[in-house]
Structures are given as C-alpha cells and as structure tokens.
C-alpha cells in the first residue's frame, strides 16, 4: 500500500479499543475494535446512536489507526460501527492484513462490500435491508431479536446466505429478560440456530 494512501485516506472513528469480542462466532477472543462513525440504518434500539453522524467524530489516517492497534498484543481486528460499509475499507484492511492482522467486520450489509475480510458477520436490519450481493459472502448471520416477528425475519435471511454460514440469534439487550427464553425455546425447536449473548455487557468490558 502506498504511503500516500495511508496518510491521506481519512476515516471517522467514534472509538477504538482493545477488548474481548462479546458476540457471535468469535466470542471470547481478544480483539481490537475500530468503531467507525456514520450510519443510515436507524435502528430504534441501537445502543451506539452517537455513531450515526460521521461528522461528529474525528477523522484519522490509516497509518494512525494501525499504529494504535500495533501498541497492543491484538491479532484480531474488528471493524464495526455505525455502519462501516458506508466507507471504502479496501486500504484499511489491506494494510492490516499485510501487517499480519486478521480482519473481521460487523455490518448490516446495507452498503456495497469493500475491504478484504477473514470473517464477515452480517446482521441484517428491518430498517434498511442488506444488499442481495452481500448475502453469499457472509460467514456469520447474526439476527437481533426485538420481538416475536423477528424470528420470521431471521428465517428469511437464513434461507439466503450460504449453506455453511453460521446462524445466531441474539436478544436485544434491553429486552433480554423477556426475549432470551423465547430464543432458547426457538433454538431447541430449530437447532440450526445458536445463541449469541452480548458477553461484554455481562462482564463489563467495552
């Protein structure tokens, strides 16, 4: 990657931190999270609404972002948001992978796919559906369950992803006490699904 690209490509970063992945297939792994600003999906229950306006967050060069990652023992880097695919992530991920990092993304899939990924976690939202061309690339389908109708939404997308895609149902945090028992019963009746919990919120890490 040309040095000029690393120094001129600017991405809005709401926050970045080294922590434990709390959700989905890679739950429990040490990971460096880069939360990009900007989202036009508009989930009413979003727990990071401050990320929606990209202009509210400082813009950093790729070189600066990666220099922070390198200060930690991290080998896994997770790009999240907001909606990270509102930005072109080709240069960021190419540089991370060239430096030996594993790159994962968490996305609603509502924008065109960019970047080079070791793992794509697709979390489709009713508020702005994912683009059809992204569905075959998903390694993991993670559906947030807010009410009973979301189980049908989950099944709709389970039928559209690749056969080897991992399937997860995750309770919306504020309704977890009500929704989690429903998810448990649903998974017992439909064992192709697995349970994803927001482990980081239980153990009180970012």
């Amino acid at each position: 990657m040309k040095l000029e690209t690393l120094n001129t490509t600017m991405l809005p970063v709401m926050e970045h931190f080294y922590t434990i992945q709390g959700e989905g297939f890679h739950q429990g792994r040490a990971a460096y999270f880069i939360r990009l600003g900007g989202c036009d999906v508009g989930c009413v229950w979003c727990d990071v609404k401050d990320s929606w306006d990209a202009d509210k967050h400082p813009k950093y060069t790729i070189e600066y972002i990666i220099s922070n990652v390198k200060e930690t023992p991290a080998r896994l880097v997770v790009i999240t948001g907001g909606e990270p695919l509102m930005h072109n992530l080709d240069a960021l991920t190419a540089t991370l992978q060239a430096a030996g990092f594993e790159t994962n993304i968490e996305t609603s899939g509502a924008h065109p796919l960019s970047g080079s990924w070791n793992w794509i976690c697709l979390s489709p939202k009713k508020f702005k559906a994912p683009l059809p061309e992204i569905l075959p690339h998903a390694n993991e389908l993670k559906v947030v369950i807010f009410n009973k109708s979301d189980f049908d939404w989950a099944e709709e997308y389970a039928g559209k992803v690749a056969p080897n895609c991992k399937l997860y149902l995750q309770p919306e945090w504020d309704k977890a006490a009500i929704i989690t028992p429903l998810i448990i019963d649903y998974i017992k009746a439909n064992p192709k699904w697995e349970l994803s919990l927001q482990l980081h919120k239980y153990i009180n890490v970012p």
Side-chain angles (χ1 to χ4, degrees):
M1 188 65 60
K2 293 181 179 179
L3 184 59
E4 62 195 72
T5 300
L6 303 185
N7 288 324
T8 59
T9 300
M10 306 286 286
L11 293 169
V13 179
M14 176 185 172
E15 56 183 351
H16 55 103
F17 48 89
Y18 186 44
T19 187
I20 297 292
Q21 168 62 282
E23 304 175 10
F25 182 79
H26 292 278
Q27 177 181 292
R29 292 185 62 189
Y32 197 99
F33 272 73
I34 300 169
R35 187 181 304 282
L36 299 180
C39 186
D40 59 358
V41 179
C43 303
V44 296
W45 39 258
C46 178
D47 57 1
V48 282
K49 289 182 179 178
D50 286 346
S51 70
W52 290 6
D53 185 353
D55 293 333
K56 292 175 63 176
H57 305 293
K59 293 180 172 61
Y60 297 132
T61 64
I62 291 174
E63 183 177 46
Y64 175 81
I65 294 170
I66 295 178
S67 70
N68 282 273
V69 181
K70 288 180 176 179
E71 291 179 358
T72 73
R75 303 319 305 158
L76 168 63
V77 178
V78 180
I79 313 298
T80 185
E83 176 40 65
L85 288 180
M86 290 184 71
H87 312 282
N88 187 300
L89 302 176
D90 291 343
L92 175 61
T93 55
T95 308
L96 282 167
Q97 290 187 344
F101 294 102
E102 182 180 345
T103 57
N104 292 12
I105 187 171
E106 298 182 357
T107 176
S108 69
H111 288 266
L113 185 64
S114 63
S116 176
W117 305 104
N118 297 103
W119 191 266
I120 296 174
C121 173
L122 175 65
S123 185
K125 304 298 191 296
K126 289 181 176 179
F127 311 98
K128 189 171 184 179
L131 301 176
E133 58 266 30
I134 290 183
L135 300 174
H137 298 285
N139 303 105
E140 172 183 344
L141 177 70
K142 184 176 67 184
V143 181
V144 176
I145 303 298
F146 184 73
N147 55 48
K148 289 183 179 180
S149 67
D150 291 332
F151 289 111
D152 291 335
W153 170 257
E155 290 295 350
E156 177 184 345
Y157 281 92
K160 295 178 178 180
V161 294
N164 60 345
C165 182
K166 299 287 293 182
L167 304 178
Y168 290 94
L169 299 174
Q170 179 171 294
E172 194 278 324
W173 177 252
D174 290 332
K175 297 181 68 176
I178 299 170
I179 294 296
T180 303
L182 300 180
I183 293 178
I184 291 171
D185 288 342
Y186 191 87
I187 292 174
K188 288 166 69 177
N190 301 273
K192 66 183 179 182
W193 292 96
E194 296 182 33
L195 176 65
S196 173
L197 295 174
Q198 292 181 292
L199 175 67
H200 54 291
K201 293 186 178 181
Y202 288 99
I203 62 176
N204 197 30
V205 299

